[in-house]
Coordinates of all heavy atoms in Angstrom, one line a residue:
K230 N -3.2 2.9 -10.2 CA -3.1 4.1 -11.1 C -1.8 4.0 -12.0 O -1.6 4.9 -12.9 CB -3.1 5.4 -10.3 CG -4.5 5.5 -9.6 CD -4.5 6.8 -8.7 CE -5.8 6.8 -8.0 NZ -5.8 7.9 -7.1
R231 N -0.8 3.2 -11.5 CA 0.4 3.0 -12.3 C 0.5 1.7 -13.0 O 1.6 1.2 -13.3 CB 1.6 3.1 -11.4 CG 1.8 4.7 -11.1 CD 2.2 5.5 -12.2 NE 2.5 6.9 -11.9 CZ 1.6 7.9 -12.0 NH1 0.4 7.5 -12.4 NH2 1.8 9.1 -11.8
N232 N -0.8 1.0 -13.2 CA -0.8 -0.2 -13.9 C -1.2 0.0 -15.3 O -2.2 0.5 -15.7 CB -1.8 -1.1 -13.3 CG -1.9 -2.5 -13.8 OD1 -1.3 -2.8 -14.9 ND2 -2.8 -3.3 -13.2
P233 N -0.1 -0.3 -16.3 CA -0.4 0.0 -17.7 C -1.5 -1.0 -18.4 O -1.9 -0.7 -19.4 CB 1.0 -0.3 -18.3 CG 1.7 -1.2 -17.3 CD 1.2 -1.0 -16.0
N234 N -1.8 -2.1 -17.7 CA -2.9 -2.9 -18.2 C -4.2 -2.2 -18.0 O -4.5 -1.6 -17.1 CB -2.7 -4.1 -17.4 CG -1.5 -4.9 -17.6 OD1 -1.0 -5.0 -18.6 ND2 -1.1 -5.6 -16.5
S235 N -4.9 -2.3 -19.1 CA -6.4 -1.7 -19.1 C -7.3 -2.3 -18.1 O -8.1 -1.7 -17.5 CB -6.8 -1.7 -20.6 OG -7.0 -2.9 -21.0
Q236 N -7.0 -3.6 -17.8 CA -7.9 -4.4 -17.0 C -7.5 -4.1 -15.6 O -6.4 -4.6 -15.4 CB -8.0 -5.8 -17.4 CG -9.0 -6.6 -16.6 CD -9.0 -8.0 -17.0 OE1 -8.4 -8.4 -17.9 NE2 -9.9 -8.9 -16.5
K237 N -8.3 -3.5 -14.8 CA -7.9 -3.3 -13.4 C -8.4 -4.5 -12.5 O -9.5 -5.0 -12.7 CB -8.7 -2.1 -12.8 CG -8.2 -0.9 -13.7 CD -6.8 -0.5 -13.6 CE -6.5 0.7 -14.4 NZ -5.0 1.0 -14.6
T238 N -7.6 -5.0 -11.5 CA -8.0 -6.0 -10.8 C -8.7 -5.6 -9.5 O -8.4 -4.5 -9.0 CB -6.6 -6.7 -10.3 OG1 -5.8 -5.8 -9.7 CG2 -6.0 -7.4 -11.4
P239 N -9.7 -6.4 -9.1 CA -10.3 -6.0 -7.8 C -9.6 -6.1 -6.7 O -8.5 -6.7 -6.6 CB -11.5 -7.1 -7.7 CG -11.0 -8.2 -8.5 CD -10.2 -7.7 -9.6
V240 N -9.9 -5.3 -5.6 CA -9.2 -5.3 -4.3 C -9.1 -6.6 -3.6 O -10.3 -7.1 -3.2 CB -9.7 -4.3 -3.4 CG1 -8.8 -4.2 -2.1 CG2 -9.6 -2.9 -4.1
P241 N -8.0 -7.3 -3.5 CA -7.9 -8.7 -2.8 C -8.2 -8.5 -1.3 O -8.5 -7.3 -0.7 CB -6.5 -9.0 -3.0 CG -5.9 -8.1 -3.9 CD -6.7 -6.8 -3.9
N242 N -8.3 -9.6 -0.6 CA -8.5 -9.5 0.9 C -7.3 -9.0 1.5 O -6.2 -9.0 0.9 CB -9.0 -10.9 1.5 CG -8.0 -12.0 1.1 OD1 -6.8 -11.8 1.3 ND2 -8.5 -13.1 0.8
V243 N -7.4 -8.7 2.8 CA -6.2 -8.1 3.4 C -5.1 -9.1 3.6 O -3.8 -8.6 3.4 CB -6.7 -7.7 5.0 CG1 -5.5 -7.3 5.8 CG2 -7.7 -6.5 4.9
E244 N -5.4 -10.4 3.8 CA -4.1 -11.3 4.0 C -3.3 -11.4 2.7 O -2.2 -11.4 2.6 CB -4.6 -12.7 4.3 CG -5.3 -12.8 5.7 CD -6.6 -12.2 6.0 OE1 -7.3 -11.9 4.9 OE2 -7.0 -11.9 7.1
K245 N -4.1 -11.3 1.5 CA -3.3 -11.6 0.2 C -2.6 -10.3 -0.1 O -1.4 -10.1 -0.6 CB -4.3 -11.8 -0.9 CG -3.7 -11.9 -2.2 CD -4.7 -12.4 -3.4 CE -4.1 -12.5 -4.7 NZ -5.1 -12.8 -5.7
M246 N -3.3 -9.0 0.2 CA -2.6 -7.8 0.0 C -1.3 -7.6 0.9 O -0.2 -7.1 0.4 CB -3.4 -6.5 0.3 CG -4.5 -6.3 -0.8 SD -5.4 -4.9 -0.5 CE -6.4 -5.2 1.0
L247 N -1.4 -8.1 2.2 CA -0.2 -7.9 3.0 C 0.9 -8.8 2.5 O 2.1 -8.6 2.7 CB -0.7 -8.4 4.5 CG 0.3 -8.2 5.6 CD1 0.8 -6.6 5.7 CD2 -0.1 -8.5 6.9
K248 N 0.5 -10.0 2.0 CA 1.5 -10.9 1.6 C 2.1 -10.4 0.3 O 3.4 -10.3 0.0 CB 0.9 -12.3 1.1 CG 1.9 -13.3 0.7 CD 1.2 -14.6 0.4 CE 2.3 -15.6 -0.2 NZ 1.5 -17.0 -0.4
Q249 N 1.4 -9.6 -0.5 CA 2.0 -9.1 -1.8 C 2.7 -7.7 -1.7 O 3.7 -7.4 -2.3 CB 0.9 -8.8 -2.8 CG 1.3 -8.6 -4.2 CD 0.3 -8.8 -5.3 OE1 -0.8 -9.3 -5.0 NE2 0.4 -8.5 -6.4
L250 N 2.2 -7.0 -0.6 CA 2.8 -5.7 -0.3 C 3.7 -5.5 0.9 O 4.2 -4.4 1.2 CB 1.7 -4.7 -0.3 CG 0.7 -4.5 -1.5 CD1 -0.5 -3.5 -1.2 CD2 1.4 -4.2 -2.9
G251 N 3.8 -6.5 1.6 CA 4.5 -6.6 2.8 C 5.9 -6.3 2.8 O 6.5 -5.8 3.9
E252 N 6.6 -6.4 1.8 CA 8.0 -6.0 1.7 C 8.3 -4.6 1.3 O 9.4 -4.2 1.1 CB 8.7 -7.0 0.8 CG 8.8 -8.4 1.4 CD 9.4 -8.6 2.7 OE1 10.4 -7.9 3.0 OE2 8.7 -9.1 3.6
L253 N 7.2 -3.8 0.9 CA 7.5 -2.5 0.4 C 8.0 -1.6 1.6 O 7.7 -1.8 2.7 CB 6.2 -1.8 0.0 CG 5.5 -2.4 -1.2 CD1 4.2 -1.6 -1.6 CD2 6.5 -2.2 -2.5
P254 N 8.9 -0.7 1.4 CA 9.7 0.1 2.3 C 8.7 1.1 3.0 O 8.0 1.7 2.3 CB 10.8 0.7 1.6 CG 10.3 0.9 0.2 CD 9.5 -0.4 -0.1
V255 N 8.8 1.4 4.2 CA 8.0 2.2 5.0 C 9.0 3.0 6.0 O 9.8 2.4 6.4 CB 6.9 1.4 5.8 CG1 6.3 2.4 6.8 CG2 5.9 1.0 5.0
Q256 N 8.7 4.3 6.1 CA 9.3 5.1 7.1 C 8.2 5.8 8.0 O 7.2 6.1 7.5 CB 10.1 6.2 6.5 CG 11.2 5.7 5.6 CD 12.1 6.7 4.8 OE1 11.4 7.7 4.4 NE2 13.3 6.6 4.7
L257 N 8.5 5.8 9.2 CA 7.5 6.4 10.3 C 8.1 7.8 10.7 O 9.2 7.9 11.2 CB 7.4 5.6 11.5 CG 6.6 4.2 11.1 CD1 6.6 3.3 12.3 CD2 5.3 4.4 10.5
I258 N 7.3 8.9 10.5 CA 7.9 10.1 11.0 C 6.6 11.2 11.1 O 5.6 11.0 10.5 CB 8.8 10.8 9.9 CG1 9.4 12.2 10.4 CG2 8.0 10.9 8.6 CD1 10.3 12.8 9.5
D259 N 6.7 11.8 12.2 CA 5.6 12.9 12.6 C 5.6 14.0 11.6 O 6.6 14.8 11.9 CB 5.6 13.2 14.1 CG 4.4 14.1 14.4 OD1 3.5 14.3 13.6 OD2 4.3 14.7 15.5
L260 N 4.8 14.1 10.7 CA 4.9 15.3 9.7 C 3.7 16.3 10.0 O 3.7 17.3 9.4 CB 4.6 14.6 8.3 CG 5.8 13.9 7.8 CD1 5.5 13.2 6.6 CD2 7.1 14.7 7.7
D261 N 2.6 15.9 10.8 CA 1.6 17.0 11.0 C 1.6 17.5 12.4 O 0.8 18.4 12.8 CB 0.2 16.4 10.8 CG 0.0 15.2 11.7 OD1 0.7 14.9 12.5 OD2 -1.2 14.5 11.2
G262 N 2.6 17.1 13.2 CA 2.8 17.8 14.5 C 1.7 17.2 15.7 O 1.8 18.0 16.8
D263 N 1.0 16.2 15.4 CA 0.1 15.7 16.4 C 0.7 14.7 17.5 O 0.0 14.1 18.2 CB -1.1 15.2 15.7 CG -0.8 13.8 15.0 OD1 0.3 13.5 14.8 OD2 -1.8 13.2 14.5
G264 N 2.0 14.4 17.4 CA 2.5 13.6 18.2 C 2.6 12.1 17.8 O 3.2 11.3 18.5
T265 N 1.8 11.8 16.8 CA 1.8 10.4 16.2 C 2.5 10.3 14.9 O 2.5 11.3 14.0 CB 0.5 9.8 16.1 OG1 -0.3 10.7 15.3 CG2 -0.3 9.9 17.4
A266 N 3.1 9.2 14.5 CA 3.9 9.2 13.3 C 3.0 8.8 12.1 O 2.0 8.2 12.2 CB 5.0 8.0 13.4
E267 N 3.3 9.5 11.0 CA 2.6 9.2 9.7 C 3.4 8.0 9.0 O 4.7 7.8 9.4 CB 2.6 10.4 8.9 CG 1.4 11.4 9.1 CD 1.6 12.0 10.5 OE1 2.4 12.7 10.8 OE2 0.6 11.8 11.3

């Protein structure tokens, strides 16, 4: 949704996505109070 190119790429397989997105920053914190982290 933040890709300025009009042509959208199909969803790759999990291995390719993990390789491409694996370095994105993540934080784990319980925000809904169910005892598990979001």
Side-chain angles (χ1 to χ4, degrees):
K230 297 174 183 178
R231 286 294 181 266
N232 187 349
N234 298 323
S235 56
Q236 184 178 359
K237 304 299 182 183
T238 58
V240 178
N242 60 41
V243 170
E244 290 75 15
K245 184 175 179 181
M246 284 189 291
L247 189 58
K248 183 177 181 180
Q249 193 164 351
L250 307 178
E252 295 305 313
L253 291 179
V255 165
Q256 296 175 326
L257 297 177
I258 182 172
D259 183 10
L260 293 170
D261 61 6
D263 66 352
T265 58
E267 278 63 57

